[in-house]
Amino acid sequence: MKKLMAIAVLGTLGAAAQAQTQSVQELQTALAQAQKAAADAQFAAKQAQDALVQVQQAMAAHDSHAVADNGAPGHTAATTGAATASDETGRQSDPLGASSAGSAGLVYRRGGDLVRLYGLIDLSMSRKTNADAAGHTQNDMSVAWFSGNRWGLEGEHLLPDTGGLKAIFKLESEFELPTGDMDTPGTLFNRDAWLGLESPTLGKLTFGRQNTLAREFSKIYGDAYGSAGVTYDEGGYTNNNNFKQFIFYSGSATGTRYDKGIVWKKSYGKLMAGLAYQVGGEPGNNREATTKSIALAYNGGDLNVSGFYNTAVVSDFTHTSWSIGGNYKIGMVRLNTGYVHYTAEQPAALGDRHDNAYTISAKFAPGGHFDYELGWQTMNATNAAVNGGGYVLNAYADTSAAKKTATGKRKTWYGSVFYHFDKRTELYLASDYLNTDGSYKASQAHGADSQFELATGLRFRF
């Protein structure tokens, strides 16, 4: 800056010396030009300094972020004003997600605006038995075992004169690494596409495609990989494996995510409350394709408890589930357990379906590079509608065309080992064993009563 000012001054002196043989008007013109040059130089220096500050802020944000799920990506506690709920390893709150807590991504921050580009890549090699109706074993580069491959954009804008109210958004797309295909053909942002508002007073209010509220509150006990507490961030549950099926009890009229969803979450100290409504929008039938949910959680640190009540209308049949569960930390071990009761209306000739499901899991994180997970779940279905192939329909699936039912149990054991190179990159070895009894048939096992899966993979967040 001093050099730039000195150049300007010397220019002014030179112009003045030359002006000795010029008129007063010429002298004034030269002086004005020199002053403008000095002002331009000062403005350029200010722009360069602002750019340097932005680079430094982005680098600092990248270095300071801790690793997390669901989810999944989402707003960090730092940007939402909510308390961070990290697991016992001190890594990310959702160890399988690509949330802001997990990776800074590419961040642009200016004043009250923030936009972030982020992603998660999960490469899986797998082996499974009974991979077709003939009972063959399959070795494959499969769809991501733990978390769907994704990229996304999220951001916020501080609204002036509102006491801290921010406009927030999220757009997230899932793809399949082995082929590069969209996870949902023809749908770019199949994971998230929402706009909302957030403040310490309001909480977080979002509109559009997003996780169901029941999913967000049950993720703390649904399997061994979710966050310890319920936060404003999205996440929870694993991806392409047999023990994923527990997630469907947290569903909606459109699967485990809402289309046209309205979700509100609010933190009250250690309590987190939530309400959600899915807009149906069918002409002449305002019940069809709607979902209503209410949820409450207690984030106590070592002890965390949550529950939900959820109901949806699918083809004019009502589906309802309620659940309670939680987790407790004992030293380096976190224990998770939960219960779900589910009922579904079906054609009158079949009668209603009733399920009782249970899950228990544990995560052992001794420190260092390794952690270990082990879990079990059972889904006990009574009079559950089956599809044309005789396979039991998932919870919240359309039962209107069903002709037959089945009764039995679906039981799954699973386990995994993770080696974390750092907060963004890790290797894993995982397996599960599925077993069904009674007349319960799982589509994944193609009519067989059991299936064994083994997978190894590499995961990277950016």
Side-chain angles (χ1 to χ4, degrees):
M1 178 69 71
K2 292 180 179 180
K3 290 182 179 180
L4 291 173
M5 295 300 295
I7 292 172
V9 171
L10 290 174
T12 304
L13 293 176
Q18 186 177 2
Q20 291 178 356
T21 60
Q22 298 174 338
S23 66
V24 173
Q25 183 177 2
E26 290 174 335
L27 178 60
Q28 291 175 338
T29 300
L31 179 60
Q33 290 175 343
Q35 290 174 333
K36 183 177 183 302
D40 289 345
Q42 186 174 7
F43 178 71
K46 179 63 167 57
Q47 286 186 315
Q49 186 177 13
D50 288 345
L52 178 60
V53 170
Q54 290 180 21
V55 171
Q56 290 172 336
Q57 288 177 338
M59 294 178 64
H62 183 278
D63 293 338
S64 65
H65 276 73
V67 179
D69 193 279
N70 167 14
H75 274 54
T76 61
T79 60
T80 61
T84 301
S86 61
D87 66 11
E88 60 274 11
T89 65
R91 300 187 183 100
Q92 58 197 17
S93 61
D94 179 1
L96 298 180
S99 71
S100 315
S103 170
L106 180 61
V107 179
Y108 173 81
R109 186 191 302 269
R110 183 180 180 89
D113 292 327
L114 181 147
V115 177
R116 189 174 74 93
L117 170 67
Y118 63 87
L120 170 68
I121 303 175
D122 186 337
L123 168 64
S124 300
M125 301 295 295
S126 65
R127 176 182 177 86
K128 67 173 65 176
T129 63
N130 293 317
D132 60 16
H136 293 132
T137 296
Q138 180 184 28
N139 299 317
D140 195 14
M141 180 185 291
S142 58
V143 175
W145 176 272
F146 275 113
S147 299
N149 290 282
R150 73 200 66 168
W151 67 274
L153 293 165
E154 65 178 357
E156 62 184 43
H157 170 66
L158 183 62
L159 302 176
D161 304 320
T162 60
L165 184 66
K166 295 181 291 187
I168 57 177
F169 76 89
K170 188 174 183 180
L171 303 171
E172 187 171 290
S173 176
E174 185 170 345
F175 61 93
E176 297 180 0
L177 184 66
T179 62
D181 292 340
M182 287 183 173
D183 179 69
T184 306
T187 303
L188 178 57
F189 296 116
N190 64 322
R191 294 181 63 92
D192 284 279
W194 53 257
L195 180 67
L197 296 168
E198 183 178 332
S199 76
T201 302
L202 172 67
K204 182 179 179 182
L205 179 63
T206 50
F207 303 81
R209 182 163 173 82
Q210 56 195 299
N211 284 356
T212 67
L213 185 74
R215 173 180 178 172
E216 287 299 299
F217 276 71
S218 63
K219 69 185 180 183
I220 71 169
Y221 56 84
D223 60 31
Y225 307 96
S227 60
V230 178
T231 70
Y232 287 159
D233 291 346
E234 286 185 300
Y237 288 92
T238 54
N239 193 48
N240 186 43
N241 42 58
N242 279 321
F243 61 93
K244 173 197 174 183
Q245 309 308 309
F246 204 85
I247 193 176
F248 290 106
Y249 290 121
S250 303
S252 72
T254 53
T256 59
R257 292 183 173 88
Y258 299 125
D259 283 344
K260 298 182 287 187
I262 304 171
V263 177
W264 171 78
K265 293 181 184 177
K266 178 69 168 69
S267 175
Y268 298 93
K270 293 185 176 181
L271 294 179
M272 179 75 77
L275 295 171
Y277 179 73
Q278 181 176 15
V279 180
E282 181 175 305
N285 186 352
N286 292 322
R287 291 182 66 252
E288 177 57 29
T290 60
T291 305
K292 303 173 185 176
S293 300
I294 184 170
L296 184 66
Y298 170 75
N299 295 323
D302 288 344
L303 174 65
N304 305 279
V305 181
S306 69
F308 67 80
Y309 178 84
N310 191 57
T311 184
V313 179
V314 184
S315 294
D316 283 328
F317 289 111
T318 301
H319 300 244
T320 302
S321 60
W322 62 268
S323 177
I324 187 168
N327 59 69
Y328 182 64
K329 179 183 175 185
I330 306 173
M332 294 178 288
V333 177
R334 198 184 89 187
L335 300 175
N336 317 279
T337 187
Y339 166 77
V340 178
H341 180 71
Y342 168 73
T343 59
E345 291 182 346
Q346 300 174 148
L350 302 180
D352 293 347
R353 170 179 176 173
H354 300 272
D355 286 20
N356 291 291
Y358 309 85
T359 180
I360 185 170
S361 62
K363 179 175 182 177
F364 175 54
H369 292 284
F370 287 95
D371 55 56
Y372 311 85
E373 296 77 27
L374 182 66
W376 169 84
Q377 61 184 223
T378 181
M379 299 161 62
N380 305 335
T382 301
N383 198 45
V386 300
N387 62 18
Y391 304 127
V392 171
L393 295 175
N394 290 327
Y396 288 91
D398 187 349
T399 62
S400 61
K403 305 297 183 184
K404 297 180 180 179
T405 64
T407 296
K409 298 179 181 179
R410 176 190 177 116
K411 297 166 285 186
T412 308
W413 286 94
Y414 62 92
S416 61
V417 178
F418 278 83
Y419 178 84
H420 304 271
F421 290 101
D422 55 26
K423 295 179 178 181
R424 296 169 59 194
T425 311
E426 60 208 8
L427 290 171
Y428 63 81
L429 177 66
S431 66
D432 63 43
Y433 177 73
L434 164 70
N435 175 257
T436 60
D437 63 17
S439 53
Y440 195 119
K441 298 296 181 183
S443 60
Q444 293 83 0
H446 302 278
D449 292 333
S450 64
Q451 184 178 67
F452 175 75
E453 296 182 313
L454 179 67
T456 184
L458 172 67
R459 304 176 71 252
F460 172 71
R461 303 172 186 84
F462 66 87

